[in-house]
Amino acid sequence: MHALLVEDDDRMAHALGTALAQRGHTVRRVGRALDALRHVHEAEFVLLDLGLPDLDGLELLRRLRTVCDAPLIVVTARCEERDIVQGLRAGADDYVVKPFRMAELIARIDSVRRRTDAPSAVDRTHPEEQPVRAGDVEIDLAGRTVTVGGAEVGLTRREFDVLAFLAARPGEVHSREEILDRIWGDAFLATSRSLDVHVSGIRTKTGRSGLVRTVRGFGYQLGAGDGERNPR
């Protein structure tokens, strides 16, 4: 695997680069946002620090996601909930706060690679599905598009995966653990806010708070789309 390491701290970059190289990966390290944008097309994986000298890391993440769909983990000292939520909503596949154990980061890298390399649960089990409608929302499982009132809405890859998983079985209620296991490949992420953040993103971007219905204490279900108040 060829990794792009976006880190301006020399000591941290050396430690991360060495750990990746020991696992057989090749690493290109850059310390500025402009260089990250220049080399991201070569990357099969991205590790991104948010504290860069020339551009805020969250803004760089948004820009990277417009040109690159490679697995990406944010590795940063920013530990505020607001930053974590923004990072996940901007398209990060995972978010690791410094300081961290190197073994844990490597395990997270392996986990992200497995779940992003594999076909999604929806693609594997429902390749022939017709678009699913929920109110004025249409979810095209095969084309991986979502329209609201005929206008296409841009969801991140993971937001679409969550919505499509629910849409493939519109009458069923799915537990948090089941969704995390099928979409993230790790049911033990149940204690994290990753799923909640992506559900919130779906509701916000579609403007349909009832599109994903919360089943309190259990999980989620595809809702009616329009005509519902935001579930609590």
Side-chain angles (χ1 to χ4, degrees):
M1 181 186 70
H2 180 66
L4 177 65
L5 172 58
V6 188
E7 170 64 68
D8 68 330
D9 182 273
D10 291 338
R11 293 180 61 184
M12 178 60 69
H14 177 74
L16 288 170
T18 299
L20 291 170
Q22 287 174 344
R23 295 183 64 84
H25 306 307
T26 60
V27 181
R28 179 186 291 276
R29 180 260 175 131
V30 298
R32 300 177 66 85
L34 182 62
D35 293 326
L37 290 166
R38 181 180 298 121
H39 294 291
V40 71
H41 299 287
E42 311 164 3
E44 298 172 277
F45 197 93
V46 181
L47 293 179
L48 173 64
D49 181 31
L50 298 183
L52 301 174
D54 56 335
L55 184 69
D56 179 73
L58 286 172
E59 177 58 28
L60 173 59
L61 172 55
R62 297 184 186 100
R63 295 188 187 185
L64 290 174
R65 275 299 177 231
T66 66
V67 297
C68 173
D69 201 35
L72 185 151
I73 293 181
V74 169
V75 183
T76 180
R78 297 187 190 178
C79 59
E80 295 295 328
E81 183 178 32
R82 180 172 179 270
D83 293 315
I84 297 172
V85 169
Q86 287 182 331
L88 293 171
R89 284 182 174 170
D93 292 288
D94 205 344
Y95 193 108
V96 176
V97 176
K98 301 174 183 176
F100 55 85
R101 293 183 175 88
M102 191 63 71
E104 177 188 354
L105 177 62
I106 295 299
R108 286 175 179 264
I109 290 172
D110 291 343
S111 177
V112 167
R113 289 184 62 212
R114 285 195 302 270
R115 71 195 189 217
T116 53
D117 288 346
S120 73
V122 174
D123 293 339
R124 289 196 304 269
T125 57
H126 295 270
E128 74 292 345
E129 282 281 2
Q130 295 297 310
V132 176
R133 294 194 65 89
D136 64 346
V137 179
E138 182 174 281
I139 305 153
D140 185 344
L141 303 180
R144 294 184 63 85
T145 59
V146 177
T147 59
V148 179
E152 187 169 342
V153 174
L155 300 181
T156 67
R157 175 183 58 204
R158 199 60 65 196
E159 287 168 347
F160 181 86
D161 286 345
V162 171
L163 181 59
F165 181 71
L166 299 177
R169 303 165 182 79
E172 298 180 20
V173 178
H174 300 275
S175 70
R176 293 174 56 85
E177 290 78 10
E178 179 187 6
I179 299 170
L180 287 161
D181 182 57
R182 294 298 296 274
I183 304 302
W184 273 265
D186 186 354
F188 292 101
L189 285 173
T191 56
S192 79
R193 290 205 56 201
S194 293
L195 177 56
D196 302 319
V197 168
H198 286 82
V199 167
S200 175
I202 293 168
R203 291 169 175 163
T204 299
K205 291 177 181 179
T206 61
R208 299 295 181 265
S209 59
L211 182 58
V212 179
R213 186 172 74 87
T214 300
V215 179
R216 187 181 294 276
F218 185 74
Y220 295 101
Q221 178 185 32
L222 187 72
D226 52 3
E228 289 190 11
R229 299 181 66 182
N230 191 20
R232 298 292 183 186

